[in-house]
Amino acid sequence: MQQQKPIIEIKNVVASGDLKQQLDLETILKFSQGVAYRPQEFPGIIYRLKKPRASVLIFNSGKIICTGTKSEREAKKAITKIVEILKQNGLLILNQPQIEIQNIVATGELSGEIDLEKTAFILEKTIYEPDQFPALIYRMEKPEVSALLFASGKIVCAGAKNEEEARFAITLLSESLMKKGAI
């Protein structure tokens, strides 16, 4: 049987940046509309961007976390845009942030159903307790990611540091399961 490549989509990219300086969040609130800041509940400002679509957390330590984008490029663009907004509103920003990708979540849809019982037996580092959770949890070593495998043939991959790594992990897993007769 001809193996089909899995359909892979990037669902969420988490990136961080550090300005390496203190930020006055109260000042940022004065010129920012549509932000959430409840210091008694969470120590940072939640800034929602429309383009690129992202949620950006700004902390008084100068750390910035971006979540919700669909690509590394969008995540970097969102952090850069926030820094530009801060500068345009009179904040003295001394450094450009070093932006790092922290986590990428991707999904894969395989060309058939996965035999989770068999997969739990043939792969090492799995957890499969169908009475508690419908997916098999698999911790890959290379690349170092975690994957949730569902009987329907869907895979959720988390922990990748770049898009290529996420795509590679899902493709490798798909090929391995197909080769071992679990799909």
Side-chain angles (χ1 to χ4, degrees):
M1 182 170 112
Q2 178 74 20
Q3 180 182 346
Q4 291 182 303
K5 289 189 181 262
I7 299 166
I8 301 170
E9 286 183 57
I10 304 298
K11 294 293 186 177
N12 185 29
V13 177
V14 178
S16 66
D18 190 350
L19 293 171
K20 296 186 179 1
Q21 72 181 72
Q22 293 290 306
L23 296 175
D24 182 354
L25 299 185
E26 295 296 333
T27 300
I28 295 170
L29 284 174
K30 289 177 185 168
F31 62 76
S32 301
Q33 296 176 333
V35 299
Y37 183 52
R38 294 182 201 87
Q40 64 282 9
E41 294 174 26
F42 185 73
I45 290 176
I46 303 170
Y47 207 116
R48 295 194 197 320
L49 290 175
K50 286 187 173 48
K51 283 198 175 183
R53 189 174 170 93
S55 291
V56 181
L57 310 175
I58 306 170
F59 298 93
N60 67 356
S61 65
K63 292 195 186 311
I64 300 171
I65 309 288
C66 172
T67 185
T69 63
K70 303 287 186 201
S71 72
E72 294 174 63
R73 188 180 58 74
E74 283 183 356
K76 291 174 181 176
K77 188 175 176 182
I79 290 175
T80 302
K81 184 173 182 175
I82 287 293
V83 172
E84 287 306 310
I85 290 169
L86 298 178
K87 286 180 181 178
Q88 288 168 3
N89 284 282
L91 263 66
L92 178 61
I93 304 296
L94 304 171
N95 307 298
Q96 279 299 108
Q98 284 296 107
I99 301 171
E100 287 183 39
I101 302 300
Q102 299 298 326
N103 183 27
I104 294 181
V105 176
T107 60
E109 199 163 321
L110 307 186
S111 56
E113 292 186 354
I114 302 170
D115 182 336
L116 296 179
E117 294 282 336
K118 186 172 188 174
T119 302
F121 183 72
I122 60 177
L123 293 178
E124 293 180 21
K125 297 191 177 184
T126 63
I127 299 170
Y128 182 51
E129 298 179 18
D131 295 342
Q132 293 182 19
F133 187 64
L136 178 141
I137 302 166
Y138 175 51
R139 298 196 195 300
M140 292 180 82
E141 287 185 358
K142 290 207 181 208
E144 194 176 326
V145 299
S146 294
L148 298 177
L149 286 74
F150 293 87
S152 65
K154 293 195 186 317
I155 296 177
V156 177
C157 174
K161 298 296 184 193
N162 59 58
E163 293 173 42
E164 187 178 306
E165 190 175 73
R167 292 180 197 286
F168 176 73
I170 292 171
T171 302
L172 185 68
L173 188 52
S174 171
E175 289 170 357
S176 176
L177 293 174
M178 186 68 88
K179 207 178 288 178
K180 294 176 180 180
I183 298 178

